[in-house]
Amino acid sequence: MQGTFASEDTLASVLDRLAEGRDEALERLFRFLAIQSISTDPIYHEACIEAAEWSAETLRELGFNARVEPTSGKPMVVAHWFAPETKPARAHVLFYGHYDVQPPDPLDEWTAPPFEAQLVDDRQYGKIIVARGASDDKGQVMTFIEACRAWLAAHATLPVDVTVLLEGEEESGSPSLAPFLAEYGEEIKADVALVCDTGQWDATTPAITAFLRGLAFSEITITGPSRDLHSGIYGGPARNPIHVLTEIVGGLHDAEGRVTLPGFYDDVRVPSPKQLSAWRDLGFDDAGFLGEVGLSQPAGESGLSLLEQLWSRPTVEINGIIGGYTGPGTKTVIPTEATAKLSFRLVPKQDPDKIIDSLHLYIEERLPPDAAVSYAGEGGSPAVGFDTGAPSFQAAADALQAEWGKPPVIVGCGASIPIVESFHTQLGMDALLVGFALEDDRIHSPNEKYNLTSFEKGARSWARILAELGDANVAT
Amino acid sequence: MQGTFASEDTLASVLDRLAEGRDEALERLFRFLAIQSISTDPIYHEACIEAAEWSAETLRELGFNARVEPTSGKPMVVAHWFAPETKPARAHVLFYGHYDVQPPDPLDEWTAPPFEAQLVDDRQYGKIIVARGASDDKGQVMTFIEACRAWLAAHATLPVDVTVLLEGEEESGSPSLAPFLAEYGEEIKADVALVCDTGQWDATTPAITAFLRGLAFSEITITGPSRDLHSGIYGGPARNPIHVLTEIVGGLHDAEGRVTLPGFYDDVRVPSPKQLSAWRDLGFDDAGFLGEVGLSQPAGESGLSLLEQLWSRPTVEINGIIGGYTGPGTKTVIPTEATAKLSFRLVPKQDPDKIIDSLHLYIEERLPPDAAVSYAGEGGSPAVGFDTGAPSFQAAADALQAEWGKPPVIVGCGASIPIVESFHTQLGMDALLVGFALEDDRIHSPNEKYNLTSFEKGARSWARILAELGDANVAT
């Protein structure tokens, strides 16, 4: 069927299969969502294994040659579907997603148990799927798998050869990724990577993400007295680690909202006037973006638009802080230590290691007598950008336009997807970032949701993208 | 026996009784220490009731007319022992202590369960009693009760009439105290209050505390977004409550260690040169005081001695802080709120309400757009000082010199005892602050201890103080 995958008849029967199988598809997703695969908390290690095994078995049912490949952390799911005929040379794509999810806390803010998925009526969107991982990333992963299932059911083949790689540490810094790619890179290397972990422009407009911010993180712990002290007896003369920590992290931004680390902006490129005007032309709704989460004014660097901040400026956030007595009531204590979790968002050319070094220098220069600092969980990945003129990029754009009735918006993403940088640097493989999440999906938050239309039109979109990629034959 | 209580024979038989009953006394203390009367945590409400009932029953055994008086919070223990003969007019003293204790956390730093008291061999002190509350305040309370027990066993009488008041909210701001004193003040009012919740100068030198710092506390919560946000998607433009909180509390001290609240030092009196030289003459071991808790240099206001800071300067401490993700690993979240628990130590003339008002003003002036603040658990009590020339003060000084072989040091105390201020303002009653705790008792910390000698010589000291008070007849 070379060259005709995207023909009306061929595609129609695939899309029909998706329509007929919609209930079973939802059941499969709900089973996937019931597995508490929280990679950042060791308590849930077994659940992560279970999520990997379930994914591999699901791919085997479709005819994939699938296995669960152990790592020093959470295992990788590796699966291949290669057409029997090898001539003419077929395109080969690598699909990437992750089966791990964020911790669900604070639990008491969920309207239903986070791992018992619910199909809920929503005034704005009709039906929504509510569960941890519904959008990030289990729901998105299943849009692609269901598209493959429909293609195989309708035509007993796929338009391109497909390798699937599902990671289990995306939410915890992907420590096992580099070693895995070093060992199995040649096996999974394809003409292009399809990554489904991003969002649409809005509920009715698809998007392809062409650049991603990088990430660097560090957990800093300040220690002081050798034991907890009574703040009446010692208050004043005794060094208080919470004071030290708050003075240090409280000083990370200046009055203009700029990060105060020495050299932090040295490698940051200012977007071209052309780029800036293109972003302005998108008519992004700053007030709506903030209003949806109860905010009214852009924080961060003064004088910069929201998109300019999110797509071209680095930041530092304090993601967590704890020290001293945090239970009910009062306890007049000076604690022995206090800890803060920091994460930096980086833009192209910034080096995560250099940023972490400058954080250490900044802290150590401000450390008063009798206070010590230690660091944990440090790591990161640089930002990346892609060639929007590549055939695979155009093929995806055509497919998305066919499904959604309008061309996809080419966007940047404030968040980081370390795998994309690794594919680029370790395997020399470009990635196509297409996802169907929405800004209000509450990922990483209580009551995470994925619209039923995101799930169903997402699968239809992948069915079309596979067809366009097959016709364009992006084999290199 | 009027006028001869302190005579050698009379006292000797009382002290003999203490020596004979030492094992039983220790058993009684251990039973008291086994009750988990943590007043600041509602989970332990019943245990607080149990501690009150146990104390009342113990006093009844001695012949006191004792009852547990309910309050809107934790009950008060009220007990009286009045001599049958009412002429000549006898002195009447009110003994105050508290049966509640601080939370034991962090639990994993205890070498034994905090509520299973152990008698441990200590290289420095011989035997020490290790348990939460051993020093603060159950051990100290029992020194007085055991002294009364010995007096009654030896002579079937006490040198003075005694009322005992044991509070159950001393570690949680004493919210029920004012209403209780308003209703029962006349019943418990005495010639002088004996308060056993302070420390010695050192292990071989007694002390009488003549001034106490006051206290003001506030729990501040900063709120921002209406839900937890992904720091990749929102990081930069979204207001982060942890940033706001750390900038605010991180700015509470200037480079000289002075508190930055407007007007904070307005009412603070500078000690007289005479006072300062008297403190210098005490030869306080700054290095030893700090070295014992792993510190080497005085923090706080630069240029001031430790005693000057602790006895004459106000402070603010951050006792606890929490916000965002604090579990294992990383979570790139911008949380909806962050909270800090603050406590101020005040000196005479400072008004707690005025300090809290200035804190609110300080915070609200620094609150950026889209950040809100709320306050909880606010309250406080002013600092107080006493007349060191009063007969009761001299009587106690003589008794302590007789027991310890040297005169007591007249000290200030950095910590607050709200009851002392309440006795003064609500009942017009002065207090005598005598205690046998040591700086290294680790009160409010893991492995709190009370030296066996503190417990035994403490009881002997009270036996002597009761005698001197009886002879001095401080009846007013």
Side-chain angles (χ1 to χ4, degrees), chain B residues 6 39-40 47 67 75 85 95 158 205 224 308 398 432 434 453 456:
Chain B
S39 60
T40 194
R67 71 179 195 274
E85 73 275 12
F95 176 85
L158 296 175
T205 314
E308 196 173 350
D398 295 345
L432 199 53
V434 176
T453 54
E456 293 179 347

Side-chain angles (χ1 to χ4, degrees), chain A residues 8-365:
Chain A
E8 205 164 297
D9 297 352
T10 310
L11 252 178
S13 53
V14 176
L15 301 179
D16 289 346
R17 289 299 189 130
L18 282 172
E20 294 155 12
R22 61 195 309 193
D23 294 346
E24 295 74 10
L26 205 55
E27 283 168 26
R28 283 185 288 267
L29 173 58
F30 278 23
R31 277 203 295 281
F32 197 17
L33 291 170
I35 306 172
Q36 303 190 28
S37 45
I38 303 164
S39 60
T40 194
D41 189 339
I43 293 170
Y44 298 96
H45 182 71
E46 285 312 313
C48 291
I49 307 290
E50 183 188 349
E53 297 288 359
W54 185 89
S55 311
E57 184 51 35
T58 300
L59 286 160
R60 272 185 218 106
E61 290 168 12
L62 270 57
F64 277 74
N65 175 3
R67 71 182 196 271
V68 173
E69 187 64 47
T71 72
S72 58
K74 308 290 183 267
M76 300 283 181
V77 176
V78 183
H80 302 289
W81 189 95
F82 294 128
E85 72 278 10
T86 54
K87 302 212 171 299
R90 290 166 51 90
H92 176 205
V93 301
L94 168 65
F95 176 85
Y96 165 88
H98 62 92
Y99 62 77
D100 63 321
V101 299
Q102 282 275 328
D105 53 285
L107 275 172
D108 56 7
E109 291 181 22
W110 285 78
T111 55
F115 295 99
E116 298 173 20
Q118 317 274 332
L119 193 62
V120 176
D121 289 311
D122 181 88
R123 181 173 300 146
Q124 182 180 3
Y125 295 123
K127 301 276 185 198
I128 60 174
I129 301 157
V130 178
R132 168 58 82 230
S135 175
D136 180 19
D137 187 39
K138 290 173 174 175
Q140 304 239 61
V141 165
M142 293 306 283
T143 58
F144 183 81
I145 293 178
E146 294 300 339
C148 293
R149 180 184 297 271
W151 260 103
L152 290 161
H155 303 294
T157 188
L158 295 175
V160 292
D161 289 345
V162 174
T163 293
V164 171
L165 173 66
L166 301 182
E167 181 191 7
E169 296 175 336
E170 198 276 340
E171 302 294 3
S172 50
S174 303
S176 308
L177 201 57
F180 174 83
L181 292 182
E183 186 169 358
Y184 299 96
E186 279 314 305
E187 175 187 344
I188 65 167
K189 190 176 188 316
D191 299 310
V192 66
L194 309 179
V195 175
C196 191
D197 199 15
T198 54
Q200 304 193 169
W201 176 250
D202 60 34
T204 62
T205 314
I208 302 177
T209 301
F211 25 94
L212 297 166
R213 283 198 293 191
L215 182 64
F217 39 84
S218 175
E219 178 178 305
I220 66 177
T221 296
I222 303 291
T223 53
S226 55
R227 60 176 174 82
D228 285 4
L229 305 178
H230 185 300
S231 68
I233 296 170
Y234 289 89
R239 182 68 61 192
N240 184 334
I242 307 181
H243 289 192
V244 177
L245 182 65
T246 54
E247 283 169 12
I248 285 173
V249 298
L252 282 170
H253 295 85
D254 64 17
E256 297 305 303
R258 289 171 59 90
V259 177
T260 54
L261 296 190
F264 187 70
Y265 296 99
D266 286 358
D267 303 321
V268 177
R269 291 172 310 181
V270 176
S272 66
K274 182 166 164 296
Q275 183 71 83
L276 287 174
S277 73
W279 290 344
R280 264 193 302 279
D281 295 346
L282 290 174
F284 184 72
D285 176 13
D286 288 20
F289 178 80
L290 292 173
E292 185 263 326
V293 295
L295 301 174
S296 67
Q297 297 188 41
E301 292 182 79
S302 49
L304 300 188
S305 76
L306 266 171
L307 289 190
E308 195 174 349
Q309 284 194 54
L310 292 174
W311 294 356
S312 71
R313 302 296 293 177
T315 68
V316 58
E317 293 292 340
I318 311 166
N319 301 120
I321 190 166
I322 187 166
Y325 181 70
T326 58
T330 63
K331 184 178 179 188
T332 52
V333 66
I334 296 172
T336 57
E337 64 173 45
T339 297
K341 294 173 187 274
L342 272 53
S343 64
F344 295 88
R345 297 293 167 173
L346 308 179
V347 297
K349 303 288 182 206
Q350 281 187 301
D351 173 0
D353 297 337
K354 202 169 140 190
I355 297 301
I356 294 294
D357 290 345
S358 109
L359 172 68
H360 292 186
L361 187 66
Y362 167 90
I363 292 172
E364 282 141 31
E365 276 175 348

Side-chain angles (χ1 to χ4, degrees), chain A residues 102 105 213 226 228 232 236-237 240 247 250 293 296-297 299 306 317-319 321 323 325 327 329 331 333 341 370 445, chain B residues 102 105 213 226 228 232 236-237 240 247 250 293 296-297 299 306 317-319 321 323 325 327 329 331 333 341 370 445:
Chain A
Q102 282 275 328
D105 53 285
R213 283 198 293 191
S226 55
D228 285 4
N240 184 334
E247 283 169 12
V293 295
S296 67
Q297 297 188 41
L306 266 171
E317 293 292 340
I318 311 166
N319 301 120
I321 190 166
Y325 181 70
K331 184 178 179 188
V333 66
K341 294 173 187 274
D370 291 326
S445 301
Chain B
Q102 282 276 326
D105 52 287
R213 284 198 291 191
S226 55
D228 286 1
N240 183 333
E247 283 169 13
V293 296
S296 66
Q297 297 188 42
L306 265 171
E317 293 291 340
I318 311 166
N319 301 121
I321 189 165
Y325 181 68
K331 185 178 179 188
V333 66
K341 294 173 188 273
D370 292 325
S445 300

Side-chain angles (χ1 to χ4, degrees), chain B residues 198-207 404 435-439 453-454 457-458:
Chain B
T198 54
Q200 304 192 167
W201 176 251
D202 60 35
T204 62
T205 314
W404 298 85
F436 308 97
L438 295 179
E439 265 157 14
T453 54
S454 295
K457 283 179 74 68

